[in-house]
Each structure stands twice: as structure tokens, then as C-alpha cells.
Amino acid sequence: MSNTNQDVRAKYVAPTTGETSFHCPHCGTLAKQFWYTVHADQMKKDDKPLIADPEKAATLNLKDIEDKDERENLVQWFKRMAAGRPFLETCGSYRNFDLRNVWLSRCYNCDDVALWIYDRLVWPCCGEAPLPNTDLPRDIIDDYNEASSILDLSPRGAAALLRLALQKLCKELGESGKDINADIAALVKRGLDVKVAQALDIVRVVGNCSVHPGQIDMKDNRETAEKLFRLINLIAERMISEPKHVNELFDSLPEPQRKAIQARDSMNRP
């Protein structure tokens, strides 16, 4: 089983400027992240980006600084940081600048770099949802990632995309893909284990029966979308990943043992 799928099942730690370890937006591994300011000056161990709070900027207490001009310059600098926009600051000479409110994080596991502006991850653009199960078909992963990328901007739009992904997943599992509720009922009747049946029943509770996959439901919110992200990964793990891994283990057995097991099972079938 891949490290990515193991990490997806574990508690997901979303990428954030407030941590030094989170699930990498590149490799999906929960790993140590090294922060850099731009000039790419690596920060001290366990240091994190300074995200200036606009409310704190308005009440900044600098009474310990005696020099009035120094106090005023620091207040203005803090307000500029709190605005959240990148800006250049001279560093040593008029041709040498630091780029403020822009950060780089580097993953200990894969060594890839992510780009942040203020407290937002801007590259790679992967959204805030847990990473999709890598055994999902490519078109479903694309829908999942697109939903993740718009989760903050449009939770309703994200939920609509996820319902479409669920419809495709039901079709991938052998159902019609035309009516998600009918597909769920058919899958449950096929004798799915209790946990998967419960997960599929969540769709009935979360989904609006009058809303077709891919359409907007005005009642949807971020919580609904987050449940749908988890549901897709759970169904994929139980219905696609676990059978695949069992088959891989079985195929690794020597051929005589495989044939003996297959012969035994064929005799025991009703």
C-alpha cells in the first residue's frame, strides 16, 4: 500500500503557515516542512512564517522602544505586513531586496517546494481537502481536485462536483451512474460490508434527492462538501484499494499454491 493512501486514512493535517509539519501538497505525506523567507534564507529550527494580524497591528504596543521614528517605522511595517500583499524591502543596499509576505516551504520527504502568499498556498493549487485516493480513476481524481481547489470560494460548487464524482464512482463499481440513489441502493443489496453500507447511506442523508449530480444545491455548505470528500475516499479504499491489495498479495504466491487455493474455493462455492 502506498504511503499516500496510508496518510489519507490517518488524520489529515492541512497545509498551513501555522505548522512545521503537515500533509505535503506535492507528495501527500505527513512530513516535516522547512520554511524559507525569500531570498531563500532558511528560518531557524521550528520557526514559522510571521502572519501579521490586522487587529494586532492596530493595537501594537511598542512603548519599550524609545526612538519615536523607529516606533513609527515598525508600526508602518507591521501594518504593511498585515495587509497580506507582497512588497519589496531593501536589504543591505538599494539593489538588494527581501520579498515580504511571500514564503517557501520545502518538504522533508519529497524535497519539493510550495509557494505561499501571506497565509495562502498558491502553488501547487490543491485546495484544503485530504488528498484523493490514488486508486480512483483519473477523471474522478480531476473532479475531486477541482472541488478541493474551490472549497473556500464556493462550497456549493465543490459539493456539486463531488456529487458528480460519486456518480462516476458508482458507475465505475458496476452500476448505471444515472441515479445515484438507485446506484447506492443496488450496491447495498449486493452485500457490501456494514461500514461501506453506512458510508453509502450518508449520501442519502447529505445529498438532496431532487438535485442531480453536478448541480448546485442551495442548502449545501462547507461541512457537506467535507463529508463528501471523506466519503469518496472511504468508498474508494474499501471497494477499489483493498481488493487490489488482496489480489496483489494473492498473485505473489507461487503458482502451485494459487491453483490449490482456487481449486479449494471452487469446490466450496454453492
Side-chain angles (χ1 to χ4, degrees):
M1 184 177 296
S2 68
N3 289 335
T4 299
N5 281 344
Q6 288 176 342
D7 289 331
V8 166
R9 291 201 310 271
K11 181 180 178 181
Y12 179 67
V13 182
T16 173
T17 54
E19 299 290 345
T20 56
S21 294
F22 48 74
H23 278 84
C24 173
H26 289 286
C27 68
T29 301
L30 179 58
K32 171 74 175 177
Q33 305 291 324
F34 299 99
W35 286 103
Y36 295 84
T37 56
V38 181
H39 282 112
D41 297 325
Q42 183 171 340
M43 300 164 74
K44 294 179 181 179
K45 183 181 180 182
D46 293 331
D47 275 0
K48 294 173 287 190
L50 169 63
I51 303 300
D53 187 331
E55 293 182 3
K56 290 183 180 179
T59 59
L60 200 60
N61 186 356
L62 301 172
K63 292 181 179 179
D64 293 339
I65 300 177
E66 295 182 2
D67 188 280
K68 182 179 178 180
D69 290 339
E70 185 179 352
R71 286 202 308 271
E72 181 59 27
N73 288 338
L74 191 53
V75 168
Q76 294 305 317
W77 180 86
F78 201 86
K79 286 181 177 179
R80 202 172 184 188
M81 289 288 289
R85 299 175 63 180
F87 64 94
L88 291 171
E89 183 176 53
T90 55
C91 177
S93 73
Y94 75 96
R95 290 185 177 179
N96 193 10
F97 297 92
D98 284 328
L99 184 56
R100 298 301 187 188
N101 273 331
V102 177
W103 319 97
L104 300 175
S105 60
R106 178 173 60 86
C107 176
Y108 176 81
N109 182 63
C110 69
D111 211 38
D112 275 343
V113 170
L115 175 65
W116 303 72
I117 294 180
Y118 194 54
D119 60 351
R120 291 185 300 109
L121 175 64
V122 296
W123 188 86
C125 183
C126 63
E128 297 186 359
L131 294 170
N133 185 303
T134 54
D135 290 325
L136 284 165
R138 183 70 254 175
D139 62 330
I140 297 178
I141 289 178
D142 289 343
D143 290 340
Y144 185 106
N145 286 336
E146 184 177 352
S148 180
S149 71
I150 65 170
L151 179 58
D152 274 340
L153 294 174
S154 177
R156 293 171 182 168
L161 280 167
L162 292 169
R163 286 205 188 91
L164 180 61
L166 275 170
Q167 181 190 40
K168 291 179 180 179
L169 182 54
C170 287
K171 190 171 183 179
E172 179 72 19
L173 296 174
E175 301 305 325
S176 69
K178 296 179 180 179
D179 183 335
I180 192 168
N181 285 324
D183 289 345
I184 291 166
L187 288 169
V188 172
K189 287 180 180 179
R190 282 163 52 183
L192 302 181
D193 67 64
V194 174
K195 291 298 181 183
V196 176
Q198 289 174 346
L200 290 169
D201 283 335
I202 293 170
V203 178
R204 294 194 181 97
V205 177
V206 172
N208 183 339
C209 294
S210 65
V211 177
H212 295 291
Q215 292 185 349
I216 298 292
D217 181 356
M218 299 307 290
K219 297 179 182 178
D220 279 342
N221 55 25
R222 186 186 180 98
E223 182 181 1
T224 299
E226 289 175 346
K227 287 179 180 177
L228 290 169
F229 281 119
R230 294 197 298 270
L231 178 59
I232 288 174
N233 275 338
L234 175 60
I235 295 173
E237 180 65 25
R238 294 301 180 93
M239 300 297 292
I240 300 175
S241 298
E242 288 185 1
K244 184 187 82 169
H245 299 316
V246 170
N247 289 336
E248 288 172 351
L249 289 171
F250 182 77
D251 290 341
S252 69
L253 293 174
E255 186 176 357
Q257 281 82 353
R258 289 203 312 271
K259 288 184 176 180
I261 293 171
Q262 290 167 343
R264 179 203 63 192
D265 291 345
S266 63
M267 292 177 61
N268 292 329
R269 289 194 188 102

